[in-house]
Amino acid sequence: MLSIDRSIVEAIVAHARRDHPDEACGVVAGPVGGDTPTRHIPMDNAARSMTFYEFDSMEQLRVWREMDDRDEEPVVIYHSHTATEAYPSRTDVAFAGEPGAHYVLVSTREPDTEEIRSFRIVDGVVTEEPVRIVDAGVDPHAVQSYMFGQSPATVDYECSGS
Amino acid sequence: MAIEVRIPTILRSYTGGAKVVEGAGDTLNDLLTDLDSRHAGLKARLVTDAGALHRFVNVYVNDEDVRFLGALDAKLSDGDSVTVLPAVAGGAFGFAAAAAISQHRAATAAFSQRRATAASVAARRAAVAPR
């Protein structure tokens, strides 16, 4: 299960829309061991391609060192597919080199709706996981006495297969 | 002569979990051979059977990508710091097709300078690999 703040999801989608029809890519860093993505880092797609993405190696070195200095790790590594579904391609699986990361895919093939899915990719095996989008803007303590009849502050996008 | 080498999470199974190891060598290839004597299997994850730096990793000497320093022939000095990171790449395109295109681009680019075109990244990586 990936729990991620709605504002970060919106920033990822905005990035993917901005770069469409090229693929967009980036990282969401979070404290080591916490499994919580907190700091969105949009990366350049050095391939500038509609069907391929690749971090610029020098930008990656800088960002990875910065995470190291801040005791962070890449909790989420995301990219967009701009004409196909949000499911890891064989290329994605071949390259997946961060076994601890959530691989998030966004499909921007539909102009009005986005498909956002998350996967673990370890030793070539893809496992889809649910994405739980959290509204951090809603302080659970502040609204406690007003919860009756309200919609929940979190939405589970249940995905098949996991 | 000690060279500090930073190992990414995915390869720490070869270093007993160590994030930083030390090695020696005049070139990157020598260094990897030296490391492999103590961390068996590590070199095969970084270098292909054909003897080229693997496409799935980025290796840096100090602040520079070794692909711009001669790849496995990159010269090393005592006190250098080598960093290995997993290359982050992928995309909707099938791998076989992507590989074929990058080879085609490599062949084309071998006769020209590195260009800041859409093709350049994949091409120049393959183009600097030893033949």
Side-chain angles (χ1 to χ4, degrees):
Chain A
M1 157 98 78
L2 168 66
S3 291
I4 185 166
D5 194 89
R6 182 178 301 281
S7 63
I8 295 174
V9 172
E10 286 171 355
I12 290 172
V13 168
H15 181 204
R17 286 285 176 211
R18 196 161 63 238
D19 286 9
H20 185 93
D22 284 350
E23 294 194 3
C25 55
V27 175
V28 189
V32 169
D35 202 32
T36 303
T38 54
R39 188 165 67 92
H40 175 220
I41 309 162
M43 303 282 286
D44 283 340
N45 176 1
R48 298 195 190 287
S49 161
M50 295 190 284
T51 53
F52 194 71
Y53 82 96
E54 179 164 45
F55 285 6
D56 174 83
S57 66
M58 297 313 295
E59 183 182 31
Q60 187 188 350
L61 179 64
R62 186 169 49 74
V63 167
W64 256 243
R65 278 191 180 157
E66 190 178 77
M67 285 193 284
D68 223 30
D69 291 345
R70 298 166 60 123
D71 289 322
E72 291 174 333
E73 59 189 355
V75 178
V76 167
I77 294 174
Y78 71 88
H79 74 282
S80 62
H81 284 177
T82 57
T84 54
E85 69 171 332
Y87 192 87
S89 68
R90 279 186 292 163
T91 320
D92 296 333
V93 176
F95 271 97
E98 291 284 358
H102 302 266
Y103 283 89
V104 168
L105 279 93
V106 180
S107 175
T108 54
R109 64 178 165 178
E110 302 293 338
D112 303 321
T113 59
E114 292 85 22
E115 187 188 12
I116 298 159
R117 296 164 74 178
S118 182
F119 305 85
R120 296 287 192 170
I121 308 177
V122 180
D123 293 332
V125 177
V126 178
T127 309
E128 184 156 13
E129 59 182 359
V131 178
R132 180 167 165 264
I133 296 178
V134 182
D135 278 309
V138 181
D139 181 341
H141 300 294
V143 299
Q144 214 160 27
S145 57
Y146 304 102
M147 282 298 279
F148 301 101
Q150 287 198 350
S151 53
T154 61
V155 180
D156 278 303
Y157 290 86
E158 278 296 331
C159 303
S160 59
S162 53
Chain B
M1 303 296 261
I3 294 162
E4 178 191 274
V5 184
R6 302 181 77 82
I7 304 291
T9 310
I10 194 167
L11 297 180
R12 287 180 202 160
S13 55
Y14 297 94
T15 61
K19 187 175 178 178
V20 179
V21 295
E22 288 200 342
D26 293 335
T27 64
L28 179 60
N29 195 50
D30 291 347
L31 172 71
L32 296 181
T33 302
D34 176 56
L35 289 179
D36 204 63
S37 68
R38 273 163 283 121
H39 310 291
L42 183 62
K43 189 178 181 184
R45 294 295 300 271
L46 303 174
V47 178
T48 65
D49 292 342
L53 197 58
H54 215 298
R55 175 136 173 58
F56 301 117
V57 292
N58 292 335
V59 181
Y60 308 86
V61 175
N62 301 322
D63 294 326
E64 190 64 60
D65 188 332
V66 296
R67 289 186 174 91
F68 308 135
L69 298 173
L72 288 168
D73 297 328
K75 295 278 181 288
L76 299 177
S77 310
D78 192 26
D80 278 347
S81 173
V82 171
T83 302
V84 181
L85 293 181
V88 182
F93 213 6
F95 184 60
I101 284 185
S102 85
Q103 278 163 17
H104 171 74
R105 285 173 176 168
T108 312
F111 300 101
S112 59
Q113 284 292 326
R114 205 168 95 207
R115 288 162 299 177
T117 65
S120 71
V121 170
R124 76 191 185 224
R125 291 209 160 160
V128 296
R131 269 147 264 267

